[in-house]
Amino acid sequence: MNTLLLIKRFFEALNSRQIEYCHWKSNHAIKSLLQGEGDLDILVSENSQNEFKEALSEFNFKLAVSPAWEETA
């Protein structure tokens, strides 16, 4: 499966589960990100964390979390 189709299906899964999310950072480079060049940074609502992790697992994606010392309050 090509990268763009995989990403499309992933976002369709998020939407069908009504997961609250937004893409943030690097919006100027969205075309290259959708081709698999770089990381898609997705901010997920606290209310949707568990469903989002399940979707990641289904698509064999990995969750990247900032170290505690980098988090903002």
Side-chain angles (χ1 to χ4, degrees):
M1 177 182 319
N2 73 38
T3 303
L4 185 57
L5 182 57
L6 177 63
I7 293 170
K8 180 180 183 285
R9 288 189 179 164
F10 178 68
F11 282 109
E12 286 172 348
L14 297 183
N15 293 335
S16 70
R17 294 172 183 207
Q18 298 181 334
I19 292 174
E20 299 171 349
Y21 71 91
C22 69
H23 172 258
W24 68 293
K25 288 175 50 178
S26 304
N27 287 323
H28 65 281
I30 194 71
K31 284 185 180 181
S32 63
L33 296 174
L34 293 175
Q35 296 301 318
E37 300 169 8
D39 299 327
L40 280 172
D41 296 301
I42 302 170
L43 179 63
V44 179
S45 164
E46 208 172 305
N47 297 334
S48 297
Q49 295 288 313
N50 291 333
E51 294 88 353
F52 182 74
K53 289 176 184 176
E54 289 172 8
L56 285 176
S57 178
E58 285 179 22
F59 283 82
N60 295 316
F61 291 161
K62 295 189 176 18
L63 176 65
V65 179
S66 298
W69 53 270
E70 285 188 4
E71 290 186 16
T72 59

